[in-house]
């Protein structure tokens, strides 16, 4: 896996309706946020109405419906093993400042780059209805830092 994108946190505020509850398929995300569309192996976004990550070996989805016409703060951390909740190569996901789940990134060569916003590769892909305050951090924010950003 590409080590350069590990030890990063990205956050965005998202507001979507029930129209955004779609499944992207094997190589995409229903509502892509930050993705690799060239190789089609690595996607973060919303799938089935929930925060999700796909890395070519299936999905992991959170449990909170974020397609309810309310603003939600979505957070992903791609860990190099320094986060208290995550091991090296895991993607943690938080909704509204609360930890939801993690996904082990399938390491296939050097294909793990995230270089496209709001673009999917295939399937029933929809652009996000509303996104605000997209932030990228060089480092893995703590639970307390994520909670503080949500409450600010």
């Amino acid at each position: 896996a590409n080590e350069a994108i590990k030890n990063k946190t990205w956050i965005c505020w998202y507001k979507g309706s029930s129209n955004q509850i779609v499944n992207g398929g094997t190589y995409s995300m229903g509502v892509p946020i930050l993705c690799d569309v060239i190789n089609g192996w690595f996607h973060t976004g919303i799938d089935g109405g929930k925060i999700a990550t796909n890395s070519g070996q299936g999905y992991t989805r959170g449990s909170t419906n974020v397609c309810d016409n309310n603003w939600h703060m979505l957070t992903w951390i791609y860990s190099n093993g320094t986060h208290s909740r995550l091991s090296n190569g895991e993607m943690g996901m938080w909704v509204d400042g609360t930890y939801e789940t993690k996904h082990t990134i399938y390491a296939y060569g050097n294909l793990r780059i995230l270089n496209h916003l709001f673009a999917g590769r295939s399937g029933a892909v929809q652009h996000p209805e509303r996104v605000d305050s997209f932030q990228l951090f060089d480092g893995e924010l703590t639970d307390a830092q994520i909670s503080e950003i949500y409450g600010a």
Side-chain angles (χ1 to χ4, degrees):
N2 187 336
E3 297 296 317
I5 63 169
K6 288 184 181 177
N7 193 34
K8 302 286 186 275
T9 302
W10 54 99
I11 294 175
C12 73
W13 285 84
Y14 167 81
K15 184 177 183 181
S17 68
S18 60
N19 295 337
Q20 299 265 283
I21 301 176
V22 296
N23 297 323
T26 305
Y27 298 110
S28 199
M29 188 67 51
V31 181
I33 300 292
L34 189 57
C35 306
D36 170 9
V37 298
I38 302 302
N39 295 304
W41 288 101
F42 195 11
H43 300 86
T44 61
I46 298 139
D47 203 71
K50 313 223 176 1
I51 190 171
T53 300
N54 174 358
S55 63
Q57 292 287 53
Y59 288 83
T60 300
R61 295 182 183 125
S63 57
T64 302
N65 176 22
V66 298
C67 297
D68 60 359
N69 281 317
N70 293 305
W71 283 103
H72 293 280
M73 188 180 93
L74 308 179
T75 305
W76 290 265
I77 295 177
Y78 189 18
S79 185
N80 66 3
T82 59
H83 195 278
S84 63
R85 289 186 182 273
L86 306 170
S87 298
N88 185 31
E90 289 183 331
M91 179 76 70
M93 294 169 266
W94 286 253
V95 173
D96 297 335
T98 301
Y99 177 75
E100 291 256 324
T101 191
K102 63 185 175 183
H103 176 83
T104 301
I105 302 300
Y106 171 62
Y108 177 75
N110 202 25
L111 299 180
R112 304 290 162 255
I113 57 173
L114 293 168
N115 56 359
H116 289 83
L117 283 170
F118 318 127
R121 177 153 171 115
S122 63
V125 174
Q126 294 189 18
H127 295 289
E129 290 177 341
R130 293 174 206 86
V131 173
D132 197 7
S133 299
F134 189 91
Q135 303 170 69
L136 179 62
F137 296 89
D138 188 20
E140 300 177 28
L141 297 184
T142 65
D143 285 7
Q145 290 169 317
I146 293 167
S147 181
E148 182 179 342
I149 292 168
Y150 176 69

